[in-house]
């Protein structure tokens, strides 16, 4: 993907010096001369080493990896790649829902063991899906689930009812709605208010037959409490694309739990992603070079 972005920038023919780095140490070494940073996330040492930095273009939609850095100066412009993820992430979540409902983890294990197992799949058309965080991605998830006949309920601050949703409730109603849901899908951003949203108390309120799907941010979930709930079979299973620590440590029990699907933070990415994010980068870079800072698209701050 970095190759596509770099090629698009070089194709501009603008008078810019481009450094493409592969490691954190290389990034820190290049930082003192950097005026613009293109990255998925950043570290405290990286931003502290970039005194000339004026603009950060996040290559994903989440910006928590930047704003949590104390060395991010208030005069640095921050933009993201919002708008690219609703389709691919909602597709990934739908795949996770179907895999859990049809109990594909069990099927794959039985296939590897050449065992003709017997287990009962679930119907999404007979299930309630609770979408926590109804932005562009959550709305796309709800629309897709509704076409399969699911009853879709949202937890959100928004007041307009998106297509496919039967009802929306404020975040304060989360614990009230958890015992009713068959699938809980997390698509909320990570913030001070949402960190640890799914904790031991929330997990205890879920049905024993319910599944948790997280393709948002690992920090939304108390991972230790989730592992405990899965091991003790207080919930039926989970599909997780994001984790508290990434890459997921090899010693994590999540790798081996039989009712868990683990994917490596790839729900939003696909074969076309590089070209699409390059379009945003080039458009914003043209505006930046022209000094039209207030017109940068997807400006966060």
């Amino acid at each position: 993907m970095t190759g596509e972005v770099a090629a698009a920038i070089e194709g501009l023919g603008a008078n810019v010096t481009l450094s493409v780095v592969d490691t954190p140490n290389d990034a820190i070494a290049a930082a003192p001369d950097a005026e613009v940073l293109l990255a998925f996330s950043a570290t405290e040492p990286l931003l502290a080493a970039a005194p000339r930095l004026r603009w950060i273009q996040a290559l994903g939609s989440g910006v928590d990896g930047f704003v949590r850095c104390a060395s991010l100066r208030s005069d640095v412009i921050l933009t993201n790649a919002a708008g690219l993820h609703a389709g691919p992430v909602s597709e990934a979540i739908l795949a996770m829902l179907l895999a859990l409902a049809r109990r594909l983890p069990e099927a794959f294990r039985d296939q590897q063991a050449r065992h003709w197992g017997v287990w009962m799949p679930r119907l999404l058309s007979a299930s309630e899906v609770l979408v926590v965080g109804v932005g562009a991605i959550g709305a796309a998830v709800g629309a897709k689930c509704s076409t399969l006949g699911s009853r879709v309920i949202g937890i959100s601050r928004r007041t307009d009812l998106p297509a496919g949703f039967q009802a929306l409730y404020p975040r304060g109603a989360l614990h009230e709605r958890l015992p009713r849901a068959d699938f809980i899908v997390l698509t909320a951003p990570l913030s001070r208010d949402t960190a640890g949203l799914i904790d031991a108390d929330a997990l205890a309120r879920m049905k024993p037959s319910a599944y948790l799907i997280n393709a948002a941010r690992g920090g939304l979930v108390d991972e230790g409490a989730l592992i405990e709930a899965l091991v003790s079979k207080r919930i039926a299973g989970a599909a997780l694309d994001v984790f508290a620590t990434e890459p997921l440590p090899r010693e994590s029990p999540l790798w081996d739990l039989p009712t868990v699907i683990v994917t490596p933070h790839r729900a939003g990415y696909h074969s076309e992603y590089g070209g699409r994010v390059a379009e945003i980068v080039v458009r914003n870079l043209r505006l930046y070079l022209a000094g039209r800072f207030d017109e940068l698209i997807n400006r966060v701050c």
Side-chain angles (χ1 to χ4, degrees), residues 199-250:
D199 56 11
D201 188 16
L203 290 161
R205 294 171 186 269
M206 290 171 56
K207 296 179 182 179
S209 59
Y211 293 93
L212 179 71
I213 295 93
N214 188 8
R217 285 291 185 267
L220 296 175
V221 178
D222 180 335
E223 207 164 272
L226 174 60
I227 291 170
E228 196 173 315
L230 290 163
V231 170
S232 61
K233 299 184 179 178
R234 291 204 304 273
I235 65 172
L240 308 169
D241 185 58
V242 290
F243 305 89
T245 300
E246 295 181 359
L248 182 64
R250 291 178 60 88

Side-chain angles (χ1 to χ4, degrees), residues 65-269:
F66 300 100
V67 298
R68 69 187 175 201
C69 294
S71 54
L72 176 64
R73 304 192 317 273
S74 60
D75 62 329
V76 175
I77 298 168
L78 176 60
T79 57
N80 67 7
L84 298 185
H85 299 85
V89 175
S90 62
E91 281 189 21
I93 289 172
L94 186 61
M96 291 172 169
L97 284 163
L98 287 166
L100 292 172
R102 304 305 300 184
R103 298 180 64 170
L104 293 188
E106 289 99 321
F108 293 150
R109 286 199 310 277
D110 285 348
Q111 179 181 348
Q112 291 173 339
R114 301 190 179 193
H115 172 66
W116 192 266
V118 177
W119 29 261
M120 189 65 68
R122 303 265 291 278
L123 287 177
L124 286 183
S125 60
S127 300
E128 179 170 307
V129 177
L130 181 66
V131 180
V132 183
V134 189
I137 294 172
V141 170
K144 286 180 169 62
C145 289
S146 69
T147 63
L148 297 177
S150 300
R151 173 177 169 80
V152 183
I153 304 296
I155 298 290
S156 178
R157 289 179 297 182
R158 68 190 291 174
T159 55
D160 60 306
L161 194 65
F165 282 75
Q166 275 67 51
L168 290 179
Y169 294 88
R171 189 175 300 155
L174 174 62
H175 283 190
E176 175 190 336
R177 299 303 310 184
L178 284 172
R180 307 169 185 236
D182 299 294
F183 296 89
I184 294 88
V185 178
L186 304 182
T187 52
L190 179 62
S191 67
R192 187 177 301 173
D193 293 334
T194 60
L197 188 65
I198 303 299
D199 56 11
D201 188 16
L203 290 161
R205 294 171 186 269
M206 290 171 56
K207 296 179 182 179
S209 59
Y211 293 93
L212 179 71
I213 295 93
N214 188 8
R217 285 291 185 267
L220 296 175
V221 178
D222 180 335
E223 207 164 272
L226 174 60
I227 291 170
E228 196 173 315
L230 290 163
V231 170
S232 61
K233 299 184 179 178
R234 291 204 304 273
I235 65 172
L240 308 169
D241 185 58
V242 290
F243 305 89
T245 300
E246 295 181 359
L248 182 64
R250 291 178 60 88
E251 63 271 18
S252 172
L254 291 170
W255 289 110
D256 299 315
L257 290 174
T259 58
V260 175
I261 296 172
V262 169
T263 55
H265 204 151
R266 283 296 176 267
Y269 308 116

